[in-house]
Amino acid sequence: MVLGERRMKTVSCITRDKKYHFTSSVRLFLPRHALVPLNRDGEDNFTCIVNQGDTVEEGQIVGFYMDEGTGSKVYVHSSIPGKVESFEKCLFPDGKSGTAAKVSVGGSFSFLGKKLQGNEWQWDSPEKILETISEKGVCNTFGKKCDLALQIQNCTVNRGRFLVVRMFDDDPSYETDSFVAENCTGEIMQGVHIVSKALKAKGIVFVLPRKREIAISDDEFGTMPVFKLCMDDERYPTGLVQNIVHAVKAAPKTQEQAVFDEISQFGLFLDPETLYSVYEAVVLGKPVVESFVHATGNCLRSSALFKVRIGTTVRSLMDQCGGCDRPLGKIIVNGAVLGDCVKSLDTIITKEVKSVSFIPSRELSDQERNPCVRCGKCRGICPEGIFPDLIYRHCNGGKKIGQEMIETSMLCSGCSLCNSVCPSRLPLCQTIENLRNVKQ
């Protein structure tokens, strides 16, 4: 891969070692053009409401698509002000391609550099809050991306009305959520208040890192049941849904906290970045036009915690970090363990991106897939006691297993540790996930 011709200075707040945590973020240079993602291949339910040559404002709605399950609209906003130059193909972090509106920057900003007045959202009804969250394009980045307003609407079952807030990162290779939790705690708390009202929550669980202090007042939420659980965020896996549910159920509780024994995977699980977007949307009236992204990896001359405009390319992150000082072997989005590999520096940053890792060629192991050698490493490392190799062979035309063994796939937390130790490079975790989706 070749660096772009345009060079940028290296950011000033840098770190080479993961043990030194970021204390501030850097706003990535505004792109000359932003590729505002409209739809992915295969999605034909999208409506674009701007035309080529139109002038758009920062945060203006440029289109929407309809959710198949509820029929509700999910809105897309322009991340910069300027002119719609064209509509063209773009590459998404999940490996798919799609259509984007190419907007060239120009004109004044509606939010950037402005002192925004806070709205008195406390007087809004839950329905009004949901409408605002939807209109501002807030998505839940805990796990797989999901439109937050639709997710809250779908939490209709009584057992699902617990709000769970994880205050650290799920993947150990980046620190985006940890940074937001420590440096924007006040905004996060307001976001929790907002979502708990919209959800009509039965209780709130805070999952806190054991070795970091994040102050949450005992009377912050009045009579709302609150449970604080400390977990070792340096141990993996810790912050996945099933890890949290098991830990909450097993933890000692007071009589007032006994309600949390009812918690399940049907609750609403959120991370700090999502709650910060909720705060900006409801309190400040700002749509989701940028997100926090950790640029890291031993290829880069420096790493940084950026605020990045949606529609910026991965190449821009690399350039502002000073480029690469050794051959680039792979680009991974959203973590070395849980993330996806992207094929091009022209991949765009979308709302669900939290980190981009630039991995040198010399750190890559053999990625060629080979037959299972029955080494048993996947069984030994699985924290849930699953036999991933047997399930893989069952699903790929090999020896069949019984129904009880198939049912164990529902215990999988999606930690991908089986993939990381498999010498044959088999897609074990993906196979189990596909089996789970068929059963559900």
Side-chain angles (χ1 to χ4, degrees), residues 13-30:
C13 67
I14 64 175
T15 180
R16 272 293 192 182
D17 194 329
K18 182 70 168 63
K19 68 182 179 181
Y20 298 114
H21 298 293
F22 292 103
T23 57
S24 62
S25 62
V26 177
R27 175 163 273 110
L28 192 74
F29 292 154
L30 291 171

Side-chain angles (χ1 to χ4, degrees), residues 28-59:
L28 192 74
F29 292 154
L30 291 171
R32 297 177 182 176
H33 300 89
L35 291 169
V36 182
L38 300 177
N39 72 320
R40 285 171 166 84
D41 284 343
E43 296 179 354
D44 56 2
N45 58 349
F46 183 83
T47 300
C48 183
I49 59 176
V50 295
N51 300 306
Q52 185 174 350
D54 286 354
T55 299
V56 295
E57 298 178 356
E58 179 192 17

Side-chain angles (χ1 to χ4, degrees), residues 90-250:
C90 64
L91 297 173
F92 290 91
D94 60 4
K96 296 181 180 179
S97 61
T99 304
K102 184 177 182 180
V103 181
S104 60
V105 66
S108 61
F109 284 79
S110 304
F111 304 100
L112 181 62
K114 306 291 179 64
K115 186 174 181 179
L116 305 178
Q117 298 296 323
N119 300 317
E120 295 185 359
W121 63 270
Q122 295 86 347
W123 305 106
D124 292 341
S125 65
E127 292 74 22
K128 176 60 177 176
I129 293 174
L130 270 179
E131 182 182 342
T132 302
I133 291 174
S134 175
E135 287 181 353
K136 302 303 180 183
V138 180
C139 75
N140 184 5
T141 58
F142 188 111
K144 293 184 177 180
K145 174 193 170 185
C146 179
D147 184 79
L148 180 58
L150 297 179
Q151 197 172 11
I152 294 174
Q153 289 175 344
N154 290 335
C155 282
T156 54
V157 181
N158 194 38
R159 59 179 175 170
R161 293 194 175 278
F162 288 100
L163 174 58
V164 183
V165 182
R166 184 194 63 215
M167 300 291 275
F168 54 86
D169 302 284
D170 55 354
D171 192 292
S173 65
Y174 64 85
E175 54 178 282
T176 310
D177 283 318
S178 297
F179 170 83
V180 178
E182 291 183 1
N183 294 277
C184 308
T185 308
E187 291 86 346
I188 302 306
M189 291 303 106
Q190 288 202 55
V192 173
H193 277 287
I194 293 166
V195 174
S196 64
K197 181 175 181 178
L199 181 65
K200 302 175 183 176
K202 292 175 60 178
I204 303 171
V205 176
F206 286 99
V207 186
L208 304 169
R210 184 165 294 168
K211 295 183 180 181
R212 303 192 198 184
E213 291 188 9
I214 300 177
I216 301 176
S217 173
D218 291 334
D219 57 356
E220 173 78 30
F221 298 93
T223 59
M224 171 74 71
V226 175
F227 185 63
K228 300 176 187 177
L229 176 69
C230 289
M231 298 184 72
D232 186 2
D233 61 315
E234 296 181 357
R235 182 172 178 263
Y236 182 84
T238 300
L240 304 178
V241 171
Q242 288 189 214
N243 307 139
I244 295 172
V245 171
H246 292 335
V248 171
K249 286 180 175 292

Side-chain angles (χ1 to χ4, degrees), residues 341-354:
C341 177
V342 300
K343 299 178 180 179
S344 172
L345 288 168
D346 294 322
T347 301
I348 64 171
I349 302 299
T350 55
K351 296 176 184 179
E352 65 263 38
V353 174
K354 294 184 178 182

Side-chain angles (χ1 to χ4, degrees), residues 7 19 28 38 53 71 80 86 137 143 156 162 167-168 172 211 220 265 286 288 307 330 349 380 399 411 432:
R7 303 290 295 181
K19 68 182 179 181
L28 192 74
L38 300 177
I80 58 174
S86 60
T156 54
F162 288 100
M167 300 291 275
F168 54 86
K211 295 183 180 181
E220 173 78 30
Q265 70 270 24
K286 179 181 176 181
V288 180
K307 288 206 78 173
K330 182 174 287 188
I349 302 299
K399 183 179 179 180
L411 301 175
I432 296 173

